[in-house]
Amino acid sequence: MSERHKNQTGTYFDNDRGSYNNAHPDAYDNDKIKLLLTLTESIISNKSLKVNQNSQ
């Protein structure tokens, strides 16, 4: 890790700009975060069910 980045913790590095910036506003929206987590858990659960059904 370079000296430039060693003290950057908990921050977002924007590759397009080549610097540290705020993430997309949706990343800070609690309702959108909850929805993302709910959908992700649903997808994981459904895939897990299909894997379990196929192994029987």
Side-chain angles (χ1 to χ4, degrees):
M1 180 179 302
S2 71
E3 289 294 314
R4 175 181 177 214
H5 302 289
K6 76 175 188 175
N7 293 320
Q8 295 293 335
T9 60
T11 57
Y12 168 75
F13 186 79
D14 186 333
N15 283 315
D16 295 330
R17 293 185 181 180
S19 62
Y20 292 92
N21 292 293
N22 287 333
H24 188 280
D26 287 353
Y28 307 104
D29 184 317
N30 285 329
D31 290 333
K32 290 185 179 182
I33 293 168
K34 287 177 188 175
L35 177 58
L36 176 62
L37 292 172
T38 299
L39 293 172
T40 301
E41 289 170 1
S42 175
I43 291 168
I44 291 169
S45 175
N46 286 335
K47 286 188 177 188
S48 175
L49 288 174
K50 289 179 184 176
V51 169
N52 289 337
Q53 290 172 351
N54 289 336
S55 64
Q56 293 178 359

